[in-house]
Amino acid sequence: MILLQIIISGLLLGAIYALFSSGLTLIWGMMNVINFAHGEFVMIGMYVAFLIVTFLHGGPLAFGPAAAIVLFLLGIAVYFGLIRAIMRGPMIAQILSTFGLALLLRYLAFWLFSANFKTLPEDLIPGVLNVGGILIGMPQLVAGMAALALTLGMHLVLTRTALGSQLLAVAEDRQAATLMGIRPDRMQALAWGVSAAGAGVAGALIATFYYIVPTVGESLALIAFVVVAFGGFGSVPGALAAGLIIGVIQSLSAYWFGPVYKDVIVYALFVAILWIRPQGLMGKV
Amino acid sequence: MRWLGPAGAALLIVYPFILTGPFYERMGADLLLAAIAASAWNIVGGYAGQISVGHAMFFGAGAYAPLLVYTRWQLPPLAGVPLGIAVSLVMAAVIGMPSFRLRGHYFSMATIAAAELVRIVVGNWDFVGAAIGLMGPPVARTVLDLSFRSAVPYYYLFLVVLIVLLGMTWLLERGRMGYYWRAIQAGERAARSLGVPARRYKLYALMLSATFTSLAGSLYALMVGFIDPESGFGILVSVEMIITAALGGVGTLFGPLIGAIILVPLKTATNSAFGGGGSGLTYILYGGIILLLARFEPGGLLELWFRLTARRRAPEPLEARHAA
């Protein structure tokens, strides 16, 4: 019974991992750029939630969309201010630019909010669900289900709408898409906005039951790397499957080996994937 | 500008006689150490063009090994230096062999994950001091302990190591190895098609880089006499190597040294102006510098300098490097 409870909480956490990792994989698949500041986008989403709860006394329905809007705008600003230029630059510029951005955002948060752990009030989403002896906290349940819905929604928008097709067309072949009358610049900006917004919402969701601290982005970004590598670069369904699996692996290893080892197991898995199946579960090289 | 090199070298040799006192002596030693670490990173990150974000794992291994052999077996810390290098080489092989088969960003992600993995394991492993870390000998038992009160002996030790490292890099840069690395950096696929064994030479670069980064870690531990998971394996250790090399100019012989000459005094100044809590501000500055460099001047200050002073000499155009 306890095992089932751990697996369920792992799946709920994994859904949130899937949500912010699918943004990372979208950018990677589209532009061949890894955003090292992606974890910081999640972190900013957490602080948006914290600020709205603390100063405006808003609930999840207020800070979820707020985080999405703030991060969407930030993502677009980052694209036009930074990414568009470094795409034409050498490889080192591509890696260092988002890495520098990550440091800047992380330590700005450090400076603004201090290094102290913050949490949202526990009664924000009150209650514990009891299903035949399996206890699930309401915050985890609501956040996990919302993340799952949003990830699936992102996948549907990408595959079933005209806008999504245009986005994927740019990812597939930029030049051909241009010939079809699609403006790749706009699509790439949109992808950065959507990717950042997904990270922001994931941050706001995870903040309902997780501690908020400026350096949280580092470990979350690493989890996203593992999810993306595991699920295959550029694949949203891959990220969803991998996110859920990583969530369960983390929960189980925290239970079996102790909480400090949950990240160790995941990082070790990353190195192992590198050796065994570098293209990921569903990806192509 | 021919006098610039010899003048700089002379200045480095007499520095401890010009700026005396513990504060400046320590800053000088820190500067040289940063230059050693960044020059070591530069071999794989600059010359071979494989951006590692996890060099802290080599630095930390190098820093832990001397203090570990002292703490556990009362050996002189110096005996741990080869141990640190051996461990670093194993880690370099484990990360490099699979990830060098893959495209660029993969290596960056793998190194960052591996370094974090090592940091967490070390932080929870009692044998290596867990979260508390390790201490060196409080007082020198023999001269072999290399424990001096003043920073000046360390300064000259570091200077010798830096000269050896730069001399070796200079030799390699001019030989077959250097040409292969530059070919890989300019375009791996093209290099392969011309018969450059890219994977093998990337691995050589990583191994060599890991060796000297580990040595830099050992020197740090010998001077400071204390190491904990964050100062050995923390991500900021890797960050400092990268930004130091990138500021001066990646893939250039003196770029990392120039980066250190600018950054270490800057860091010392911000830390002493804003206190311990100012370290946050230091890294805001670091992040901003990396960001602006990548956006506007990815070749670093040396390239900017060359462009401004000697247009006729026409340094390798930037476009050639990322044609691939």
Side-chain angles (χ1 to χ4, degrees):
Chain A
M1 206 53 114
I2 183 90
L3 215 56
L4 198 61
Q5 183 168 327
I6 287 162
I7 291 172
I8 289 175
S9 74
L11 286 171
L12 292 172
L13 189 63
I16 297 174
Y17 292 168
L19 177 59
F20 63 72
S21 305
S22 41
L24 190 73
T25 207
L26 182 69
I27 298 288
W28 169 274
M30 202 165 170
M31 303 167 70
N32 252 323
V33 172
I34 273 290
N35 178 14
F36 281 95
H38 202 69
E40 274 59 40
F41 288 178
V42 182
M43 179 268 292
I44 294 173
M46 295 171 92
Y47 277 103
V48 169
F50 173 75
L51 288 177
I52 285 182
V53 170
T54 313
F55 293 107
L56 303 174
H57 309 290
L61 287 177
F63 64 64
I69 292 167
V70 169
L71 269 298
F72 183 80
L73 295 177
L74 180 67
I76 291 194
V78 167
Y79 175 75
F80 281 116
L82 186 65
I83 306 303
R84 202 164 53 151
I86 57 106
M87 287 304 292
R88 295 189 294 263
M91 174 80 152
I92 181 163
Q94 295 178 12
I95 292 174
L96 290 188
S97 58
T98 60
F99 192 65
L101 181 67
L103 272 187
L104 190 67
L105 294 176
R106 187 181 307 162
Y107 286 96
L108 271 175
F110 197 86
W111 193 50
L112 287 173
F113 301 107
S114 89
N116 295 337
F117 283 42
K118 295 187 167 58
T119 48
L120 297 183
E122 277 181 31
D123 55 357
L124 210 58
I125 308 174
V128 175
L129 197 67
N130 188 338
V131 187
I134 297 170
L135 301 174
I136 307 164
M138 279 311 267
Q140 283 89 337
L141 186 66
V142 171
M145 294 320 264
L148 187 66
L150 286 169
T151 312
L152 287 172
M154 188 190 285
H155 178 58
L156 288 178
V157 168
L158 280 175
T159 50
R160 300 287 163 85
T161 67
L163 191 66
S165 307
Q166 290 181 2
L167 255 173
L168 292 182
V170 174
E172 190 85 16
D173 189 336
R174 194 190 148 100
Q175 220 150 15
T178 313
L179 294 175
M180 295 296 137
I182 300 168
R183 295 164 80 169
D185 219 28
R186 283 192 180 181
M187 287 302 136
Q188 286 174 343
L190 184 66
W192 273 85
V194 169
S195 165
V201 177
L205 290 174
I206 210 171
T208 55
F209 59 92
Y210 210 68
Y211 58 87
I212 305 171
V213 68
T215 47
V216 73
E218 191 187 336
S219 58
L220 292 179
L222 279 167
I223 288 171
F225 291 170
V226 183
V227 169
V228 170
F230 204 18
F233 292 93
S235 156
V236 172
L240 180 56
L244 295 175
I245 293 171
I246 300 291
V248 172
I249 291 177
Q250 258 199 347
S251 294
L252 286 176
S253 44
Y255 174 64
W256 282 326
F257 309 110
V260 289
Y261 289 104
K262 68 184 203 304
D263 287 334
V264 171
I265 302 286
V266 173
Y267 302 158
L269 187 73
F270 182 53
V271 178
I273 296 169
L274 216 56
W275 276 91
I276 302 158
R277 197 176 160 76
Q279 69 273 39
L281 276 183
M282 310 181 184
K284 45 190 193 295
V285 174
Chain B
M1 295 291 150
R2 284 189 167 280
W3 49 270
L4 214 62
L11 210 61
L12 281 179
I13 291 168
V14 298
Y15 170 90
F17 297 100
I18 302 171
L19 289 175
T20 50
F23 180 79
Y24 287 112
E25 286 162 1
R26 177 62 198 269
M27 189 176 86
D30 284 343
L31 191 155
L32 290 179
L33 193 67
I36 295 170
S39 301
W41 179 89
N42 191 35
I43 296 174
V44 68
Y47 286 104
Q50 309 299 310
I51 314 293
S52 160
V53 198
H55 257 49
M57 64 182 142
F58 309 131
F59 186 90
Y64 263 83
L67 301 186
L68 186 70
V69 298
Y70 164 74
T71 310
R72 291 289 158 211
W73 304 291
Q74 278 70 49
L75 292 169
L78 212 52
V81 176
L83 176 68
I85 291 175
V87 172
S88 295
L89 286 175
V90 170
M91 290 192 295
V94 168
I95 300 305
M97 276 160 69
S99 57
F100 281 151
R101 282 183 307 196
L102 302 154
R103 287 175 300 181
H105 298 238
Y106 226 130
F107 178 63
S108 305
M109 290 162 58
T111 46
I112 199 173
E116 275 299 287
L117 173 72
V118 175
R119 183 182 66 84
I120 299 172
V121 169
V122 168
N124 289 289
W125 188 10
D126 287 326
F127 183 72
V128 297
I132 300 161
L134 295 171
M135 298 276 279
V139 202
R141 295 163 303 177
T142 65
V143 74
L144 269 180
D145 278 352
L146 285 185
S147 174
F148 311 107
R149 200 159 291 174
S150 152
V152 177
Y154 295 112
Y155 181 90
Y156 285 106
L157 176 64
F158 296 174
L159 192 59
V160 170
V161 173
L162 181 65
I163 290 168
V164 170
L165 173 56
L166 291 183
M168 208 186 62
T169 312
W170 182 74
L171 279 178
L172 289 173
E173 186 188 24
R174 298 160 63 85
R176 177 203 296 263
M177 192 86 98
Y179 285 108
Y180 279 3
W181 285 341
R182 254 165 296 167
I184 293 166
Q185 188 220 46
E188 194 176 328
R189 202 172 291 174
R192 269 179 206 278
S193 70
L194 291 174
V196 175
R199 209 176 136 199
R200 186 146 49 95
Y201 276 82
K202 284 195 283 186
L203 204 57
Y204 289 159
L206 180 61
M207 295 275 195
L208 198 61
S209 177
T211 303
F212 275 95
T213 309
S214 173
L215 187 59
S218 298
L219 295 174
Y220 171 83
L222 286 172
M223 177 170 74
V224 176
F226 167 74
I227 193 77
D228 67 1
E230 210 48 56
S231 57
F233 293 102
I235 180 137
L236 293 173
V237 178
S238 306
V239 167
E240 298 214 354
M241 289 180 224
I242 299 170
I243 180 177
T244 306
L247 181 64
V250 291
T252 59
L253 189 58
F254 292 111
L257 176 60
I258 289 167
I261 287 172
I262 295 168
L263 278 178
V264 172
L266 180 75
K267 186 187 171 189
T268 314
T270 52
N271 277 352
S272 60
F274 302 105
S279 63
L281 221 53
T282 308
Y283 292 113
I284 294 177
L285 212 58
Y286 275 22
I289 292 173
I290 300 184
L291 193 71
L292 292 176
L293 267 178
R295 170 70 179 77
F296 295 106
E297 206 52 56
L301 293 179
L302 264 184
E303 195 172 279
L304 181 68
W305 170 260
F306 280 135
R307 219 176 43 235
L308 292 179
T309 55
R311 270 174 205 285
R312 280 159 299 141
R313 231 186 309 168
E316 173 196 16
L318 207 58
E319 285 79 5
R321 280 201 216 153
H322 54 88

